[in-house]
Amino acid sequence: MSKTKDELLKSFHQQFAENQNHHQTVFIQFISAVFIVIVGYALVYTNTSSDAGIFNMTRDKDQNIVSYAIIHLIGSFFIAELTLTLLCILLLNIGYGFRRDQNVIYNIRKLYISDDAEYKKIFGEKSFNPTGKKLFSYLPEFNLIFVIFMIVLHVLLIVSLFYALCHFNNFRLSLCEHWLSHSLLIMSFFLPLGISILAYWKYYKKYSNVVI
């Protein structure tokens, strides 16, 4: 029974290391996805003129696209924002999973190396300890860098869209008329960012309940 228990603990320890190597590969795929999303949005953004129509694209006499419509810009914005939100939540999930499994590994190592002095000599006091992390440190640094990058991209996309909407000749972003519809429109622009921030907080609370 003891031998089986040891084998199970060693197997989990080995699987933990293999999972982290797999996550490194997943991050490269995340970068590719973000690049494609940003390029798609930038393509529509740079090819939408200030005289663009709200629903119809502008074409020349040869039917070549001169300018996308405003609705295309807003649509590409939401596609980019929702994709960033999805990737952000996936990163948070991976980061939380890492801390949860790291906590198990931490307990396994403590079980096999019960002497505190010997344990600290091998692993140190903080580097391999997943407990006691604060709101801005509960994620592994690799995940945290990517999540911050996603949040910054969220903000940059919102700023770029508002800048464009304020300079269109056929569109006015005003709260003076139809204030309710305009308020809902503006709130929808911030919704993906809000979901990402809320997910960050939710995973921290989940971490706090499971790991701490």
Side-chain angles (χ1 to χ4, degrees):
M1 188 70 174
S2 179
K3 183 178 180 181
T4 302
K5 176 183 175 182
D6 290 345
E7 289 298 323
L8 286 172
L9 294 177
K10 290 178 182 178
S11 176
F12 185 88
H13 196 285
Q14 181 180 1
Q15 186 63 45
F16 175 77
E18 292 175 354
N19 287 341
Q20 302 324 305
N21 292 331
H22 172 68
H23 290 161
Q24 302 296 325
T25 304
V26 172
F27 284 127
I28 302 301
Q29 297 172 349
F30 282 164
I31 294 175
S32 301
V34 171
F35 179 77
I36 292 172
V37 166
I38 297 303
V39 168
Y41 174 74
L43 184 64
V44 176
Y45 189 90
T46 55
N47 287 280
T48 305
S49 69
S50 59
D51 293 323
I54 297 178
F55 297 105
N56 298 318
M57 290 185 294
T58 305
R59 299 177 182 270
D60 59 19
K61 60 182 180 179
D62 297 322
Q63 294 302 305
N64 296 317
I65 297 175
V66 175
S67 172
Y68 289 100
I70 296 173
I71 194 67
H72 296 141
L73 177 62
I74 295 176
S76 64
F77 166 81
F78 277 113
I79 291 173
E81 284 281 287
L82 292 174
T83 302
L84 289 177
T85 299
L86 174 61
L87 294 176
C88 186
I89 293 174
L90 288 174
L91 286 168
L92 290 169
N93 181 265
I94 291 174
Y96 161 75
F98 175 88
R99 289 302 190 201
R100 179 199 60 208
D101 295 347
Q102 188 184 30
N103 189 51
V104 177
I105 296 300
Y106 177 74
N107 292 330
I108 291 174
R109 289 169 178 167
K110 282 286 190 178
L111 178 65
Y112 281 93
I113 308 176
S114 56
D115 184 83
D116 287 341
E118 183 182 2
Y119 183 89
K120 291 178 182 179
K121 183 178 180 181
I122 298 174
F123 297 107
E125 295 185 8
K126 295 182 179 180
S127 297
F128 293 90
N129 187 348
T131 62
K133 305 295 182 182
K134 302 301 181 182
L135 179 61
F136 296 105
S137 62
Y138 80 96
L139 289 176
E141 289 186 7
F142 203 73
N143 295 71
L144 183 61
I145 290 171
F146 273 91
V147 169
I148 292 175
F149 178 66
M150 296 290 182
I151 298 297
V152 171
L153 278 181
H154 271 302
V155 175
L156 290 177
L157 290 181
I158 292 172
V159 171
S160 69
L161 183 68
F162 271 96
Y163 177 83
L165 293 179
C166 290
H167 289 80
F168 283 126
N169 297 326
N170 299 318
F171 183 87
R172 289 291 178 269
L173 192 64
S174 173
L175 297 178
C176 297
E177 299 179 22
H178 310 292
W179 64 270
L180 180 59
S181 60
H182 284 292
S183 297
L184 293 174
L185 175 63
I186 291 177
M187 288 175 61
S188 68
F189 294 151
F190 290 92
L191 183 60
L193 174 61
I195 292 174
S196 296
I197 295 174
L198 180 62
Y200 186 92
W201 170 256
K202 287 290 186 181
Y203 273 103
Y204 173 69
K205 297 302 292 182
K206 195 173 182 180
Y207 159 83
S208 300
N209 292 331
V210 174
V211 178
I212 294 179

